[in-house]
Amino acid sequence: MKTTRILTVLTAFLLIFSLAACGTGKDNKKDDGNKKAAIAALMAMEPGTKDEATELHQKLMEQENAILGKNTELWEKVFMAADKGMTMQEDGKNYGEFLLDTIEGAKDQFTEDELKLLQGEAEKIREIENKLTMIEKKYPEAAQQSTDGAMSV
């Protein structure tokens, strides 16, 4: 299950970075507020059925990809600094924790503002990953359907 999620996230990174040149330059603070509210609303949701769990799982993955799709140059620095020989399963960390550790290890490569931004975004990813793990434990088939649906789009 974690391997599938890792592959999905890595595939999403490739798609995001390949489309990065098509994006616009400046961020809108109003959009940031809306995105924060959307993430908070998703985190508060508790699915009651497999279908609700599938939908929530897919939306959380989309939010995670949106976070990583923003500030791509900074995330590329983080990914370049990552220990390529270690997988997350080896140390039991979720993806957000892995990102936080990688950022911490490479903090000298970022300004104070960049570091603060990356840490905040990685914290959001850690929260999303915790919620995804909860969904996957309670509704394993929903997580698979969500991943299959995201890959076929």
Side-chain angles (χ1 to χ4, degrees), residues 4 7-9 11-12 15 58 145-153:
T4 303
L7 291 174
T8 301
V9 171
T11 301
L15 291 171
Q58 194 164 12
Q145 285 180 338
S146 169
T147 305
D148 291 345
M151 297 301 284
S152 66
V153 172

Side-chain angles (χ1 to χ4, degrees), residues 114-127:
E114 291 172 337
L115 188 60
K116 185 177 176 182
L117 175 93
L118 288 169
Q119 289 170 333
E121 298 295 289
E123 286 285 344
K124 290 176 194 171
I125 291 171
R126 180 173 63 181
E127 292 172 20

Side-chain angles (χ1 to χ4, degrees), residues 86-123:
M86 182 190 72
T87 64
M88 289 174 285
Q89 289 104 346
E90 290 175 358
D91 60 11
K93 294 179 182 176
N94 79 25
Y95 189 60
E97 293 165 341
F98 173 79
L99 289 174
L100 284 165
D101 287 349
T102 302
I103 292 164
E104 181 63 28
K107 66 182 177 184
D108 59 329
Q109 297 180 32
F110 304 104
T111 67
E112 187 176 321
D113 288 340
E114 291 172 337
L115 188 60
K116 185 177 176 182
L117 175 93
L118 288 169
Q119 289 170 333
E121 298 295 289
E123 286 285 344

Side-chain angles (χ1 to χ4, degrees), residues 22-79:
C22 299
T24 58
K26 298 292 177 189
D27 296 332
N28 185 331
K29 289 188 181 205
K30 184 177 179 183
D31 287 343
D32 286 345
N34 291 341
K35 289 177 184 174
K36 287 178 185 177
I39 292 172
L42 290 173
M43 297 302 287
M45 291 177 65
E46 292 297 327
T49 66
K50 180 185 73 133
D51 290 339
E52 289 175 359
T54 300
E55 183 178 350
L56 179 57
H57 191 279
Q58 194 164 12
K59 286 181 180 180
L60 288 168
M61 291 295 295
E62 289 169 3
Q63 288 295 322
E64 186 172 303
N65 290 334
I67 290 169
L68 294 168
K70 200 172 157 188
N71 302 304
T72 54
E73 288 181 22
L74 292 177
W75 285 114
E76 286 176 11
K77 277 184 173 180
V78 172
F79 300 135

